[in-house]
Amino acid sequence: MGVLSKVSLLTLTALAGHCFGQQTAWGQCGGIGWTGPTSCVSGYTCYAQNPYYSQCIPGSGGGVTTTTSTRTTTTTTRATTTTASSSSGKKVRYAGVNIAGFDFGMSTSGTQNAPEIIDVSSTGVTQMQHFVNNDKFNIFRLPAGWQFLLNNNLGGTLDSNNFGKYDRLVQGCLNTGAMCIIDVHNYARWNGGVIGQGGPSDDQFVSLWTQLAKKYAGQSRIIFGVMNEPHDININTWAATVQKVVNAIRNAGANSQIILLPGNSYTSAQEFVSNGSGALLNAITNPGGSKTNLVFDVHKYLDSDNSGTHTDCVTNGISAAFQPLATWLRSVGRQALLSETGGGNVDSCVTYVCQMLDFLNANNDVYLGWTSWAAGGWQASWNYVLTEVPNGNTDTYLVQKCFVPKWIS
């Protein structure tokens, strides 16, 4: 592009900003496909964080989008996590993989078919060692069925045999030095009944979490994932249930660990605010009234129906999900972790997943990181389209082309 063309483009960009008005603080002001304001209110400047997203950040006001690669340093105080975070950082804080197997056989009704469960207490540890040593990942999500952990004894104690297997996976994760997410993978249900809403009682769910919290209270690198993908629930009632779980975890002695708070609609990043989950979960506090280390748990797949069941990706999810959620998170001073995302081992997913990770990295003040789906017990003969099971020391295509380079480059 010639000099004249560059000047003309900048002029048109400035005029477009004038026509559309000025963007508010922290709002989007540019990027591929953006048709809104490209100029910011006084005191803010439009900074190009990546080709897909420019944002109004503190600085000299009224600026048009800049292409400089040097980030303006800003200091942001967060009540959400104890580790300092700044929007000036290069990357998210955490990157890793789900290690599936103990959740196998679990349907969205919260019913688990026990014969489908795969013991990944050995293979999962080997995989995590690979991901840490070869890919420098530093977080793993470890899903397990509620029924498996209790050996189908609702309200009972952690089963010594089944939980013993799961704990070997957890200890293997801790031994790598990574963060380890305890994930109860039941869709807010037990055998079809919704927790606290006609199904298991809140007390039965609190009992499970009290036992888990007591077990891992002394482990600073444990993260408590309250529940995988609640859906079709009364969100007001669910928020009250989650508050009880937070109280139980803290009262069991786990005072410093992160707790992940999931919303309705399969804790969709795209619907987290619009379905009311954000506002209600934002009111949840620790027993002392603080919100320290209470982080929102969100999921987003990039296939045609956001289900993670198709090989191809059709979107990067930025405009529909991650940008609006980032704006809301900043408005309330909170953070989120993307604990499920992924795609098939195909070029369309390399394109869109890489764009998504660029956005998360550029907005690391509100996005702590991600765990992709999934390694673990997937068998080669199943031809599972989202598999991330390494072949020895060789990663799958999407991990090689996207998840690793966007983390360690």
Side-chain angles (χ1 to χ4, degrees), residues 167 170-171 173-175 178-180 182 212-224 253-258:
D167 184 55
V170 175
Q171 298 303 326
C173 176
L174 291 170
N175 288 338
M179 303 293 289
C180 309
I182 307 297
L212 290 170
K214 286 181 177 179
K215 171 68 179 180
Y216 299 115
Q219 297 287 352
S220 62
R221 287 183 286 104
I222 289 289
I223 296 175
F224 298 110
N255 297 311
S256 62
Q257 293 92 338
I258 291 173

Side-chain angles (χ1 to χ4, degrees), residues 104 294 299:
F104 283 4
L294 301 182
H299 291 180

